[in-house]
Amino acid sequence: MLHWDLNAGLISVAKNSEPLEECIAIEQLYLVFGVLYIQLKRVDKVSVHLLIFPDSVNAESYRRLRVAARWASIVIKSE
């Protein structure tokens, strides 16, 4: 699960039913052939790699995610 709060500039991820964990940086972000690749650095220094395909979420959510990926940023937490 990916939660990107554009207003606060924060991004969080969770695996399966685990609680959301805040990320401190976007290390890489690419949009290639409609597939969005995001590499996030979590607070525990572990990187998370996400591949998001257009048909994996509803069309409106995917459109919003692409716009966010192009224009938004996250607040970098001090380490």
Side-chain angles (χ1 to χ4, degrees):
M1 175 186 201
L2 174 69
H3 180 261
W4 196 335
D5 184 343
L6 295 174
N7 293 327
L10 301 172
I11 193 166
S12 302
V13 293
K15 181 179 175 184
N16 299 325
S17 61
E18 294 177 6
L20 285 171
E21 184 176 339
E22 194 172 321
C23 296
I24 58 172
I26 297 175
E27 296 181 311
Q28 294 183 40
L29 193 148
Y30 301 106
L31 180 62
V32 180
F33 302 116
V35 177
L36 186 62
Y37 168 77
I38 305 173
Q39 180 181 350
L40 302 168
K41 185 183 213 180
R42 296 187 316 191
V43 175
D44 62 5
K45 309 279 195 259
V46 175
S47 291
V48 175
H49 304 266
L50 302 172
L51 284 172
I52 304 169
F53 295 88
D55 59 353
S56 65
V57 295
N58 69 51
E60 182 64 18
S61 295
Y62 185 73
R63 185 194 68 76
R64 288 180 181 183
L65 185 57
R66 284 183 47 201
V67 169
R70 180 171 292 187
W71 300 108
S73 62
I74 65 169
V75 175
I76 307 282
K77 302 289 184 188
S78 60
E79 300 184 50

